[in-house]
Amino acid sequence: MTDRTSADPGAQSARADIASLGEDPFRLLVESVQDYAIFLLDTQGRIVTWNAGARRIKGYEAHEIIGRSFETFYPAEAIAAAWPQQELRAATRHGCFEDEGWRLRKDGSRFWASVIITALHDRSGRLVGFAKVTRDLTERRRHEEDLRRREEQVRLLVDAVKDYAIFLVDADGRVQTWNAGASALTGYEVGDVLDRHFGMFYTPPEVAAGEPARDLARALDEGRSERERWHLRKDRTMFWSGTVLTPVFDEAGGLRGYALVVRDLTDPKRLLELEHSNRRMSQFLATLAHELRNPLAPIRNAVSVLGVHTAFPQQLGAVRDVIDRQLGQLTRLVDDLLDIGRIATGKIRLDRLRLDYREVVQSSVDAIVPLAQAHGHRISLSLPDAPLPMIGDATRLAQSLQNLLNNAVRYTPEGGDIRVEVQREGSDSITRVSDNGRGIPRHELERIFELFSQVDAGEAPALQGLGIGLNLARTLVEQHGGTLSADSPGRGLGSVFTMKLPVHEAASAAAESSCEPASQAPAANRVLVIDDNRDSADTMVQVLQLLGQEARGAYGAEDGLRVAKSFRPRIVLLDLNMPDGDGFSVMRRLREQSGESLYVAAMTGYGQASDRRRTLDAGFQAHLTKPVNAERLRELLTTAAAPARAAARWSA
């Protein structure tokens, strides 16, 4: 057969170039390979040759290893089992042997190796040795083990859930997995449902109306389908269910199927009206309190005007003081009603600032002194000499403490003693409000904090309030990260209320900024977080808001570009790996869209030096490695906010 390249001048020239090397080109090829250990063994398994990849992977220089048995690379347990020789015998018998397993480097460390051993024969068919190719797959195995472990953890978690039916269906709606909660909820065992259409749980009218297919289509179009409806059990009884149907995609974006989470809401549905009634009551209280504040304002103004005039007859001055005290009580009651309504609707907000808690206590006691004196009570106060720095809402803390003091005044007989003692214990401030009043039965110590709770209602009607003060006080204390508890030896033996609040060192400016919500401080910058992982994006937005930023999240490349047009951020924290676009291209498009002044930081799980160089060379001003700690984030925000330094690049 004629060599077609013999007449090709280019091919002849290439051959001449290779021949000019004066060495076997195939040997040069093998010796230069870096990612694979490629070497020869004689028939007894002794090493004959050694390439650069073998040196890099195994750590031996050629003169250290040539002539030694290839068993050198095997763990002791493999040698004890005569596994290396078994590999050679298998390669001799079948011509080739492939395996994966642990091997040893020169320093004794292990690596997971992919091994191919090929038997070599001369032209007469006589075995003359073996060729061995080894590849280091340690990282791949680690990733596979991590993935397997995570999948196993998820499977165990899902299987262990008893209150929710959690299962997968394929793209056509056929059941593929089944957990214990699904069996408990529907009565079907796994063998009853696998490969059957999930429409089997729908009522016949809904099946006839095509609801199962419509739910799948809605989930695919909208990203999820969340419904409440009647579903059927195996025994054909019905239960009211809450169902969430979510599409599942593979790495390439192809539809793998759908995840279904089903919960039995039959009992909650029966209680729905009661919940609505409670909600309406809370809304009514909030509305009532709000409306009552309108007439209270001019009354307070009028009392203030009267307080300016000191020439009142003594009797009228006493009447004015009564009005002032009772107006204070009524105002506190209205505020409590309004706050209960806010708490019930989730609208209460704290204005967190740095404060000395001693000042809050002092002002609270001063405010209650007139009421206590009117009842003939003696109030004593003990405060520490050193400041008690906190991050909190002074008004709300005072409101909580005044409710405790008002409670002590109300339930302590005329001429009683009320003591307020504040001390520091470790990182906490402990406030104890004690009295020698009516006391609290042991079995009522927790119930008194329930909303509208009345202890011994009817026993002393004049002493009964609305039962909201202690509930509100505990709620506000807990929103400050503290606790509020009560103790009493029993009826007639007085009571002690203990309020524990966390102390923040005065020098800890970080504590202030991390605790202050964005809604209470002007936004320093508009920050956009672009990350296809919703949990990652949303939690980062929350952290930024706590740091005083006006932050918004976007869930992918295209979504990020769209949000950026309307939000017009000053800073962007950008994930690098997203299904619909890599961070490098998104960064360039953001700059085209928003201008070169936009500060863009890469936010990624890759944190090697080469990764940082790559992002910075590509034009990112910073490189944040996940998870990003608050201190690094503050540094970046400070750098980005300073125009003179914004161009300086840094990495974290």
Side-chain angles (χ1 to χ4, degrees):
M1 181 179 294
T2 302
D3 185 350
R4 295 184 180 179
T5 64
S6 60
D8 185 344
Q12 291 176 354
S13 174
R15 287 180 175 178
D17 290 340
I18 294 175
S20 69
L21 295 174
E23 299 187 50
D24 181 357
F26 294 104
R27 183 176 65 81
L28 288 175
L29 171 64
V30 170
E31 289 185 352
S32 63
V33 171
Q34 297 285 332
D35 296 329
Y36 292 82
I38 305 174
F39 53 96
L40 296 177
L41 307 175
D42 64 15
T43 57
Q44 301 303 312
R46 291 184 292 266
I47 298 165
V48 178
T49 66
W50 199 245
N51 81 324
R55 182 171 61 253
R56 187 185 68 82
I57 293 174
K58 298 177 182 290
Y60 291 94
E61 297 296 332
H63 70 273
E64 296 176 309
I65 197 65
I66 289 178
R68 295 173 60 179
S69 172
F70 81 120
E71 290 184 353
T72 303
F73 312 127
Y74 288 73
E77 60 269 21
I79 296 175
W83 181 247
Q85 297 305 318
Q86 291 184 44
E87 290 183 345
L88 295 184
R89 287 194 292 271
T92 302
R93 185 166 53 253
H94 302 293
C96 184
F97 175 80
E98 296 186 29
D99 186 30
E100 288 189 9
W102 291 111
R103 298 293 185 268
L104 299 178
R105 295 186 175 91
K106 178 183 177 180
D107 61 7
S109 62
R110 294 190 175 203
F111 67 98
W112 187 259
S114 169
V115 176
I116 300 176
I117 300 178
T118 305
L120 303 177
H121 300 85
D122 60 16
R123 294 184 178 181
S124 65
R126 180 175 62 89
L127 179 69
V128 296
F130 302 90
K132 187 171 183 180
V133 179
T134 303
R135 185 182 181 190
D136 183 356
L137 297 181
T138 308
E139 279 302 312
R140 191 195 73 178
R141 178 175 173 81
R142 183 178 294 115
H143 290 317
E144 290 175 348
E145 284 296 312
D146 289 344
L147 179 60
R148 183 197 61 76
R149 185 163 50 252
R150 288 194 295 269
E151 289 177 345
E152 180 67 11
Q153 290 171 344
V154 171
R155 185 188 65 78
L156 291 174
L157 174 63
V158 171
D159 287 346
V161 172
K162 296 296 191 297
D163 296 330
Y164 291 81
I166 304 174
F167 57 100
L168 294 173
V169 301
D170 63 17
D172 296 323
R174 293 185 295 270
V175 178
Q176 301 299 303
T177 66
W178 198 246
N179 78 323
S183 295
L185 181 58
T186 66
Y188 288 99
E189 296 301 325
V190 61
D192 301 328
V193 298
L194 286 184
D195 289 327
R196 295 182 62 183
H197 197 275
F198 82 112
M200 62 189 291
F201 309 118
Y202 286 65
T203 62
E206 288 191 321
V207 173
E211 282 299 314
R214 191 173 292 115
D215 282 346
L216 293 181
R218 183 183 300 108
L220 188 59
D221 291 341
E222 302 177 6
R224 63 185 282 147
S225 174
E226 188 168 354
R227 299 287 299 276
E228 289 188 9
R229 54 155 49 91
W230 291 107
H231 272 155
L232 292 176
R233 295 187 175 91
K234 183 177 181 180
D235 61 7
R236 311 312 290 172
T237 60
M238 293 196 301
F239 65 97
W240 185 256
S241 70
T243 303
V244 178
L245 183 64
T246 307
V248 178
F249 301 95
D250 59 24
E251 294 181 355
L255 180 64
R256 291 284 301 275
Y258 300 85
L260 281 93
V261 179
V262 183
R263 184 184 181 190
D264 186 355
L265 298 178
T266 306
D267 289 339
K269 182 176 175 64
R270 292 169 181 161
L271 296 175
L272 191 59
E273 275 305 312
L274 179 59
E275 293 175 357
H276 284 167
S277 297
N278 289 339
R279 189 175 298 111
R280 286 194 294 269
M281 178 59 71
S282 298
Q283 292 172 346
F284 167 74
L285 291 175
T287 302
L288 175 64
H290 182 270
E291 292 301 319
L292 286 174
R293 292 175 69 90
N294 290 328
L296 286 177
I299 295 175
R300 166 57 64 192
N301 293 337
V303 172
S304 298
V305 170
L306 293 176
V308 175
H309 299 283
T310 58
F312 271 120
Q314 183 177 0
Q315 185 177 8
L316 291 181
V319 170
R320 180 197 62 204
D321 292 342
V322 169
I323 296 173
D324 188 39
R325 287 196 301 271
Q326 296 304 315
L327 180 61
Q329 288 288 87
L330 182 58
T331 301
R332 183 189 61 80
L333 178 61
V334 171
D335 288 340
D336 287 353
L337 280 172
L338 184 59
D339 285 336
I340 287 297
R342 287 171 175 166
I343 290 172
T345 56
K347 295 179 179 178
I348 197 165
R349 295 291 183 270
L350 300 181
D351 185 8
R352 299 182 190 267
L353 298 171
R354 295 178 64 183
L355 54 87
D356 184 348
Y357 179 63
R358 297 179 306 168
E359 298 175 0
V360 174
V361 177
Q362 185 67 64
S363 64
S364 299
V365 172
D366 291 345
I368 208 70
V369 164
L371 180 63
Q373 290 177 342
H375 288 77
H377 296 324
R378 294 173 295 276
I379 293 185
S380 61
L381 172 63
S382 175
L383 291 172
D385 294 331
L388 290 173
M390 290 185 185
I391 305 298
D393 188 324
T395 301
R396 296 302 188 183
L397 290 173
Q399 183 180 6
S400 301
L401 189 54
Q402 287 176 29
N403 276 338
L404 299 183
L405 292 168
N406 182 78
N407 196 71
V409 170
R410 177 187 292 272
Y411 291 103
T412 299
E414 296 282 335
D417 292 308
I418 299 172
R419 178 172 178 76
V420 180
E421 181 182 7
V422 181
Q423 61 188 31
R424 179 166 181 170
E425 295 182 4
S427 60
D428 295 317
S429 167
I430 306 298
T431 304
R432 294 182 177 89
V433 178
S434 56
D435 62 64
N436 59 350
R438 298 180 67 221
I440 307 168
R442 301 293 297 179
H443 66 279
E444 299 280 5
L445 288 175
E446 273 302 310
R447 197 172 73 85
I448 60 173
F449 291 103
E450 296 177 3
L451 188 60
F452 306 129
S453 173
Q454 300 286 346
V455 177
D456 297 331
E459 182 177 322
L463 297 178
Q464 300 303 318
L466 291 179
I468 62 177
L470 292 179
N471 175 272
L472 178 61
R474 172 176 275 189
T475 300
L476 293 174
V477 169
E478 288 177 348
Q479 288 192 343
H480 281 82
T483 60
L484 176 61
S485 60
D487 193 21
S488 175
R491 175 63 71 200
L493 300 177
S495 58
V496 179
F497 287 83
T498 302
M499 180 191 300
K500 181 166 72 172
L501 292 164
V503 172
H504 295 265
E505 294 299 336
S508 178
E512 176 185 5
S513 61
S514 64
C515 289
E516 185 174 350
S519 60
Q520 298 299 327
N525 278 297
R526 290 190 299 275
V527 184
L528 175 62
V529 180
I530 304 177
D531 195 331
D532 63 296
N533 185 315
R534 285 178 174 264
D535 289 341
S536 177
D538 292 344
T539 52
M540 177 56 74
V541 167
Q542 293 173 11
V543 171
L544 288 165
Q545 290 172 344
L546 289 173
L547 292 176
Q549 307 299 305
E550 182 183 353
R552 187 173 298 179
Y555 309 118
E558 295 302 324
D559 188 36
L561 292 167
R562 179 185 58 79
V563 172
K565 288 183 179 179
S566 57
F567 184 50
R568 300 181 64 82
R570 170 68 181 82
I571 304 170
V572 176
L573 304 185
L574 178 58
D575 187 22
L576 295 183
N577 296 307
M578 295 173 287
D580 60 339
D582 68 274
F584 296 93
S585 62
V586 173
M587 181 267 294
R588 289 190 293 270
R589 293 174 64 185
L590 283 170
R591 290 261 166 76
E592 294 171 358
Q593 178 177 296
S594 303
E596 291 298 323
S597 63
L598 183 66
Y599 191 96
V600 186
M603 187 172 61
T604 175
Y606 297 102
Q608 299 297 322
S610 59
D611 300 316
R612 296 191 180 100
R613 284 196 301 271
R614 183 187 177 203
T615 54
L616 297 179
D617 290 344
F620 287 92
Q621 281 115 321
H623 182 109
L624 295 174
T625 304
K626 295 179 181 179
V628 183
N629 65 56
E631 189 57 37
R632 292 296 188 192
L633 199 55
R634 289 191 193 95
E635 292 176 12
L636 179 139
L637 295 172
T638 301
T639 301
R645 291 179 290 165
R649 296 176 176 180
W650 61 281
S651 62

